[in-house]
Amino acid sequence: NDFALKVALRLTNMGINIIHQTGKNDFERVKAKYEELNIKADVFDFSKQIPQKMSTADFAVSRAGASTLWELCANSLPTFFIPYKHAAGDHQYFNAKVLFDKKLCFLQREEELSEDYFFEAINSDIHKISIELISSINPNAISLIVNIILQNNQK
């Protein structure tokens, strides 16, 4: 949340609209800070309209939990991942690193956050990443998993 607020004015000056999901406990502070900065951001703590909000976005900044990472990929949304540093076994970092190694996302640990790297990401060829994300998702993944399970149960 703090990093988003730190880069918000520059994003707004670039003509970028901000959609910001906060945690419930930080919602009021973040909303007030956008108002103080005179930025008309779509700030929310929870929404059933996440798919609609994602469909209007061109770029995301996100933690890297497995389901969130998959949803962002499935929506071909180029993402700057900031893994939750207290996640068990650092799994969020390793989730995102798989995509990072394929040049399908941007990745920085929270303590290493750099505005320069963030704006390099924003200004990169995110359209190309979006197209490549589409081809990275296997549309038959569920049937492949079911077939593997069925084959293993027959052994």
Side-chain angles (χ1 to χ4, degrees), residues 6-154:
K6 188 176 180 182
V7 298
L9 199 53
R10 186 167 169 192
L11 290 171
T12 301
N13 290 338
M14 293 170 68
I16 296 172
N17 295 322
I18 298 170
I19 303 168
H20 186 147
Q21 182 178 15
T22 71
K24 186 177 187 177
N25 295 335
D26 211 13
F27 172 73
E28 291 300 330
R29 179 188 74 89
V30 171
K31 185 176 179 191
K33 186 64 178 173
Y34 278 115
E35 289 170 3
E36 180 184 314
L37 293 168
N38 199 28
I39 295 173
K40 292 180 176 140
D42 177 0
V43 183
F44 61 99
D45 62 351
F46 175 79
S47 175
K48 291 183 180 180
Q49 279 75 42
I50 289 290
Q52 292 86 348
K53 290 178 184 287
M54 287 174 90
S55 73
T56 66
D58 297 314
F59 191 83
V61 178
S62 178
R63 295 297 193 188
S67 61
T68 300
L69 188 136
W70 186 89
E71 286 175 4
L72 291 163
C73 288
N75 283 284
S76 64
L77 196 53
T79 302
F80 186 99
F81 286 108
I82 306 169
Y84 180 61
K85 61 184 172 184
H86 301 295
D90 204 16
H91 75 271
Q92 287 200 8
Y93 174 80
F94 293 107
N95 290 347
K97 183 134 176 34
V98 171
L99 290 176
F100 179 78
D101 289 345
K102 295 177 183 179
K103 297 182 177 22
L104 295 176
C105 75
F106 305 92
L107 172 64
Q108 272 196 320
R109 293 184 183 275
E110 199 166 330
E111 58 275 7
E112 299 167 345
L113 281 175
S114 155
E115 287 182 55
D116 289 339
Y117 178 64
F118 176 76
F119 284 102
E120 282 177 35
I122 290 278
N123 291 311
S124 68
D125 189 355
I126 60 174
H127 180 70
K128 179 180 182 235
I129 293 170
S130 181
I131 291 168
E132 290 176 3
L133 281 169
I134 293 168
S135 63
S136 75
I137 298 293
N138 186 336
N140 297 319
I142 293 173
S143 14
L144 291 171
I145 292 168
V146 169
N147 286 337
I148 290 168
I149 292 169
L150 291 174
Q151 287 172 0
N152 286 337
N153 284 338
Q154 292 175 357

